[in-house]
Amino acid sequence: MKSLPAFIFLLSVAAFANASTTVAPTTVPQKQEKISQEEVGVRLIHELTRGDTESVSKYFEDSVKVNLTQEVFKSINGQITWLSRLIGDTVEQFMTGTQIAKNGETAFFREYRLANESNKRAPLIVIHLWFKDSTFNLAAGGFVKTFLENSEKRLDGDQTWKIDGKNVDIHSVVLIDFNEGGMLAVKVYDDEDTTDLDSNRVNVKGVPIAKEAIARGLVAKAKEELKEKKLVESIGVAFIRKDPHFGYTHYKYGISSSHFKAEWDSVSPPTLEPVVKSQPVPKAPSKKKAAKAK
C-alpha cells in the first residue's frame, strides 16, 4: 500500500544525518526566551498559520533559516490551514520521541495536532518538529504529515473486534480505488505494540484481521459497492501507531488472499440473472380458418 504524503521543510533528513560532520558557522549565540520547548512548538505552528517568514524564523536555528523561503512558507501554510480554517488553529502536543539517523545521530521530536479534531487518537494532520535535544528552544526542522486519502471510501466506522480472544480496536474499514480495481482495507489501532514490522510479523498480526473482515461480510459488501469493478484479491491492513522513533504514522500492508484462500473462496459470488427461454410467438389464424370460424 502506498505511503502517506509528507512535505519536509527547512532541514532535510540527510542534513540531519550528517550534522556531526558539518562545521557550525561562527555566529553570536542566540538569546532564548525562558519558555518550555513544548510552548515553542505551539508558537512556531501558530506563526506558520498566521504569520510570515520573518515571524516564524525566530523559532528556528540560524543554520536552517536560509531554507525558509516565501515559497516554502506558503506550501507549509497551505498544508495546515485547509483544516485549521474549518476547526480552528489551536494546537496541542500529540507525542514526543527520539529520531535516530543512519549514522547514529539523534534528535528529539515533538508532534502536534489541531486540538479540535474529533478523533483524538487519529488526527488528519500532524506537525512534526525536531530539536537537537529535549530542552533547546530553537527548532532544527520539521515537516507536515497528512493522513487524508482521496482514493478511499469508508465502508464502516470505529468498532471493536474480538480476534483470538483479544479486543482489536478498528479505526475504520475502507475501499481503496486503484486502476486495476478496488481493495478492501482495515485500519487498526496498534498503540501498545512497538515491535518492528517485518513481513512475518505483518502476517501474524494482519492475517487474522483479514479473516475476521471476511467473516463479518465485508468482502461481500465491498463487491456489492464496486458493482462492475473488480475487487483485488488481497486485503489491506493499516497499523496506526505512535512510533517512538518516527512519530505518528500508518504502516500499510497488502495481504494476499493466499493466506486466507478458503475464507476468500467461501464468499458467495454475485447471483446471476436466471436465463428465461423465449416462448414461440403464436401465429395469427389464416384467412381460411377465420372464415370457417364465422
Side-chain angles (χ1 to χ4, degrees):
M1 302 169 73
K2 66 180 182 179
S3 58
L4 293 166
F7 183 86
I8 299 177
F9 65 94
L10 300 183
L11 181 63
S12 69
V13 174
F16 161 64
N18 296 321
S20 60
T21 59
T22 302
V23 177
T26 55
T27 57
V28 178
Q30 295 169 296
K31 186 177 179 180
Q32 297 184 49
E33 185 182 353
K34 295 297 182 181
I35 59 175
S36 69
Q37 190 182 82
E38 181 179 345
E39 178 61 23
V40 167
V42 171
R43 295 187 185 187
L44 187 159
I45 295 167
H46 280 162
E47 292 302 331
L48 283 172
T49 58
R50 306 174 186 174
D52 52 33
T53 54
E54 184 176 349
S55 64
V56 77
S57 66
K58 65 184 177 183
Y59 293 105
F60 287 99
E61 293 183 25
D62 281 343
S63 58
V64 296
K65 286 181 181 180
V66 66
N67 297 297
L68 187 59
T69 63
Q70 184 64 27
E71 182 181 0
V72 169
F73 177 84
K74 277 185 169 182
S75 180
I76 302 163
N77 175 277
Q79 291 177 75
I80 302 171
T81 54
W82 71 267
L83 184 58
S84 66
R85 285 171 182 159
L86 297 174
I87 64 174
D89 63 0
T90 303
V91 296
E92 62 186 8
Q93 184 170 279
F94 188 55
M95 70 168 294
T96 63
T98 302
Q99 56 194 74
I100 304 173
K102 290 181 179 179
N103 68 347
E105 291 289 317
T106 63
F108 184 79
F109 72 80
R110 295 180 183 273
E111 289 196 334
Y112 296 82
R113 55 167 293 149
L114 294 175
N116 293 331
E117 281 206 56
S118 58
N119 189 333
K120 297 300 180 183
R121 296 174 72 183
L124 292 177
I125 63 170
V126 165
I127 302 96
H128 179 110
L129 304 174
W130 71 82
F131 306 79
K132 70 177 184 180
D133 58 37
S134 61
T135 60
F136 191 65
N137 277 9
L138 293 174
F143 56 94
V144 179
K145 298 178 181 179
T146 302
F147 298 91
L148 185 66
E149 293 283 353
N150 293 329
S151 62
E152 294 180 358
K153 181 175 183 179
R154 180 172 289 211
L155 295 180
D156 220 335
D158 61 299
Q159 54 202 280
T160 301
W161 294 356
K162 182 77 77 173
I163 301 176
D164 296 333
K166 297 179 181 179
N167 288 335
V168 177
D169 287 343
I170 306 299
H171 169 276
S172 59
V173 180
V174 299
L175 195 57
I176 304 174
D177 185 39
F178 294 106
N179 290 333
E180 61 270 29
M183 175 190 279
L184 177 70
V186 184
K187 298 182 179 182
V188 301
Y189 292 108
D190 207 30
D191 294 335
E192 305 304 320
D193 191 346
T194 58
T195 56
D196 291 333
L197 287 172
D198 55 22
S199 58
N200 290 333
R201 185 65 180 162
V202 166
N203 288 334
V204 168
K205 294 170 68 68
V207 171
I209 293 170
K211 288 182 178 180
E212 183 66 18
I214 297 171
R216 289 173 175 265
L218 291 168
V219 170
K221 185 175 182 179
K223 287 183 175 181
E224 183 181 350
E225 187 71 31
L226 286 169
K227 296 182 175 63
E228 300 298 324
K229 201 168 184 180
K230 177 185 175 183
L231 180 65
V232 176
E233 288 198 14
S234 61
I235 293 179
V237 178
F239 300 101
I240 299 175
R241 285 188 172 189
K242 290 182 175 181
D243 192 289
H245 300 308
F246 299 101
Y248 175 72
T249 191
H250 295 185
Y251 290 106
K252 297 181 173 183
Y253 301 91
I255 301 176
S256 169
S257 61
S258 62
H259 293 288
F260 39 83
K261 182 170 176 55
E263 290 83 359
W264 184 275
D265 291 343
S266 70
V267 178
S268 299
T271 56
L272 299 175
E273 291 293 328
V275 177
V276 179
K277 293 184 178 180
S278 59
Q279 298 296 325
V281 179
K283 293 182 179 179
S286 62
K287 292 182 178 180
K288 289 184 178 179
K289 288 182 178 180
K292 288 181 180 179
K294 290 182 180 179

